[in-house]
Every structure is written in structure tokens, then in C-alpha cells.
Amino acid sequence: MDHIVTLLEEATSLTTTSSSTSQQQPQQPFVVLDIGCNKGYTSADFLDALSPGTNMNPHTLVTAIRTIAKEDNTKFDRDGGVCNDSKKALNVDRTTVRDVEVHCFEPSPATYGMLIRAHEKLMPKETNSNGSGGAKWFIHNKGLHKVNGEMKWHSACAHAVGDELCTIVEEGTADAITVPVVTVDTFLQETYPSSSELPLVHMLKIDAEGLDPAVLEGSMNVLTSNRAIMVMFEFNPGLSEKGDHPHGMWGRKGNPRVTLIEVTNWLDGIGYDCYLDTHLPEESEKKKGVLDAPGLYRITGDCLSKEPNVRGWANVVCASRKYGNVAARLLELATFVQT
């Protein structure tokens, strides 16, 4: 989303409104979960927003990815990202370094292997460090779901880097591969066992190829305890209606079907304000008559009363009302529409 730097800057101040007097509660490291990491551009966005002096950003990442492809005498499909992610403007601050932990979850063994090599090129000091301080990018060959265990994934996951077909398939699917899956709650408990409570997650980002509601269900503890400041997930109802490989829980043919309003009403009930972050038209689309529109629409509070029709896909971004500065900034950026 276009406003990610602004929102993460608010998150780093962590002014909470849970008591009558506002207190600064410094929490380190800053924790980001990037679920559905794919080629790593969202991880690069987060690291550029929170620790730009690390010099891990979309511009350096695309260079690493293309170098890896050249080493393998190949070319990766959409190597600059599906939405030209590698061309995004960088944080104007180029020097700040913070203690940040970005966890990248990628179920595809092929894409995971590429990400590991990119990590070695971009963050070699972290690879060789003793594990203390600085920005860190952890890459996990796992899927996230509402259960712990193993699931079958499309055979495309094994060979093609960044293939959008890499999703969970039914048992018995020909050539399917087995990938471990874990819930967000279990991952946090196992990764930060010394803490008396779940760690504070600054951003829980989910792009699970239509299975985002299942990942949210597996995040029940961290969400109901408001230990995630912000949540961002993808809403893509068209995935369940795609030709040869329909999948996902959104849309009329979702399996099982879940509506966006059901999910955002649940999030509202546990203390989160949610907004639809739409796919803004590019110049070429505007010339074809696609109308321009503000990007961020408030959902919470009956601002959206029926399931939205989206062009392609959209992200939904939510902020915990416990952290009033972040929730207030998101509100300032939003447009109100009544449907």
C-alpha cells in the first residue's frame, strides 16, 4: 500500500491509548510477519520503511533476483514483482537502522531457494552475525493456516519461482508436494518462548491466495489480545472462480465461503478498524476509461454495508484501536463512502 511508510512510522512510536495518560512503550525488536512472501518485495518494503540504512529495499532486491537468474541462465517471470514493485519510491530517510525482525513465509521450495540466495547477497553480515541487534530477514519454507501439520500444495511450488498457482490443493491431487503448515499463534509461541506474553507484532501481512480467512483464524490469540498493531490481508474473490484452478475462500464459489464483511465485523468486535485499500488504475488503464478513485475506504462502522465488487484484487488494512496514534493516522488517510 502507498501509505506503508507513514503507518509504520506511527507504529514505531507506539503511543497507546489503553490508559488515561498516554505512555511511550518502546518495544524492540520491531516484528513483521510477511505471510505469502513470494519474491520478497513486501519484506523489502517493510525493511526500507523501518530500517532504511540496512539497504534492503525493492531496488536492491530486484538487482539480486536478476543476478541469481543470470547465474542460473534463466529469467524469472515478473522478476520485478506483479505490480512493478521494484520501481516503488524508497524511504527518503536512507540512514536509520533499527532492530527489526521480518519473518518471510514462502511455501514454494523453488521460491524459498531463490529468497535464501537473495538474502545471502543483500544481508551477508546478518548471515554471519551472532544474532544480536540490527535488521534481520528470516525466511521460512512454511505455509500458514488455521491448523498445524502438513498440507498438499500445487506441483508448481516445486519448480517455478514466484508462480501464483502455488496454493493448497486437495489430497490426492496428482504431483502435489507436501509442505509444513503452522498457525501464526504457534509460530509466535515457538519463536519467542521466553516472553510471558505473545510478542508485539507491528504488522501481520497475509497474502495466502484466497485462504487469508484461515490464516486469520490461526491468529486468534494474537488478534484477540491486540498484540498485532496492524493487519493487512488480500481480498480476491475472483480466485474461487478462476478457470482450471479455482481456489480460495472469498467469492461466490469460495470453499468454504467467507465474506469480507463477516471478517471485518469480527475484527471490529475485537478492537480493529479496517479499510479497503484498492488497486489504483495505472495511466494506461485511465486512457481506456478506468475511473480514478481514492485508494483507502473505511469499512468499519457500517461504512460498507454489502460485499464489495473489486477490480482484480484489493488489500484490506486494519489497525488496533488500542494503539490510537496508528488508528488515527489510518483514519486521516481514508475516504468515507456509504454503500
Side-chain angles (χ1 to χ4, degrees):
M1 58 181 297
D2 294 337
H3 310 296
I4 191 66
V5 172
T6 300
L7 291 170
L8 287 176
E9 284 176 348
E10 291 295 333
T12 58
S13 67
L14 295 181
T15 302
T16 178
T17 57
S18 59
S19 62
S20 57
T21 58
S22 182
Q23 282 185 308
Q24 294 292 321
Q25 296 183 341
Q27 298 281 341
Q28 292 199 349
F30 299 108
V31 176
V32 174
L33 305 189
D34 181 6
I35 298 167
C37 194
N38 203 284
K39 296 183 183 74
Y41 284 107
T42 305
S43 284
D45 277 339
F46 291 140
L47 286 164
D48 187 53
L50 288 169
S51 188
T54 305
N55 204 34
M56 161 56 174
N57 57 63
H59 296 185
T60 57
L61 178 58
V62 71
T63 300
I65 289 173
R66 289 173 179 168
T67 299
I68 292 166
K70 187 175 182 180
E71 291 170 353
D72 293 349
N73 195 28
T74 189
K75 185 180 187 305
F76 302 135
D77 184 43
R78 297 180 178 182
D79 57 7
V82 175
C83 299
N84 291 320
D85 306 274
S86 64
K87 297 181 179 179
K88 289 181 179 177
L90 301 184
N91 191 341
V92 294
D93 173 5
R94 303 308 313 151
T95 59
T96 298
V97 174
R98 295 188 179 98
D99 291 345
V100 181
E101 295 184 359
V102 176
H103 292 273
C104 158
F105 299 89
E106 179 48 53
S108 162
T111 307
Y112 169 76
M114 184 277 290
L115 289 168
I116 290 292
R117 292 168 67 185
H119 180 279
E120 292 170 350
K121 293 179 183 299
L122 293 168
M123 305 179 79
K125 291 182 180 179
E126 180 202 333
T127 303
N128 300 322
S129 73
N130 61 10
S132 60
K136 299 185 182 303
W137 187 29
F138 298 100
I139 304 169
H140 310 276
N141 188 201
K142 296 178 183 290
L144 275 293
H145 206 260
K146 63 180 180 181
V147 295
N148 302 306
E150 294 181 336
M151 289 188 171
K152 298 296 182 181
W153 293 67
H154 196 284
S155 58
C157 304
H159 309 292
V161 170
D163 197 313
E164 294 294 326
L165 286 176
C166 187
T167 187
I168 294 172
V169 295
E170 294 180 1
E171 289 284 342
T173 299
D175 300 322
I177 65 171
T178 301
V179 175
V181 296
V182 67
T183 68
V184 168
D185 288 337
T186 296
F187 172 80
L188 291 173
Q189 290 162 0
E190 293 179 348
T191 306
Y192 301 93
S194 60
S195 177
S196 60
E197 59 182 346
L198 289 172
L200 187 64
V201 176
H202 291 73
M203 173 65 84
L204 170 59
K205 170 263 177 181
I206 305 168
D207 181 356
E209 287 299 301
L211 297 176
D212 305 63
V215 180
L216 288 167
E217 188 174 343
S219 313
M220 186 73 68
N221 290 341
V222 72
L223 291 174
T224 55
S225 61
N226 275 212
R227 297 298 290 169
I229 298 176
M230 287 182 287
V231 182
M232 183 166 64
F233 58 90
E234 186 179 77
F235 174 63
N236 192 342
L239 290 176
S240 68
E241 300 166 12
K242 276 189 173 180
D244 295 334
H245 302 285
H247 57 275
M249 301 168 73
W250 305 117
R252 294 188 300 274
K253 297 182 180 179
N255 183 26
R257 187 187 181 195
V258 177
T259 69
L260 178 61
I261 291 178
E262 288 172 344
V263 171
T264 54
N265 282 348
W266 173 70
L267 286 165
D268 180 23
I270 59 174
Y272 286 84
D273 290 339
C274 293
Y275 301 78
L276 193 66
D277 183 22
T278 60
H279 176 188
L280 297 178
E282 299 174 357
E283 287 302 318
S284 60
E285 294 173 312
K286 291 179 182 179
K287 291 177 182 178
K288 295 177 182 178
V290 177
L291 298 177
D292 199 359
L296 206 59
Y297 292 99
R298 185 175 172 89
I299 299 172
T300 304
D302 296 325
C303 293
L304 194 68
S305 58
K306 61 182 180 182
E307 202 71 355
N309 292 318
V310 299
R311 182 174 54 88
W313 55 269
N315 286 321
V316 177
V317 59
C318 308
S320 169
R321 292 189 288 270
K322 179 179 179 181
Y323 303 95
N325 57 335
V326 182
R329 179 54 64 93
L330 200 55
L331 182 62
E332 289 174 5
L333 296 169
T335 299
F336 284 82
V337 291
Q338 198 76 36
T339 61

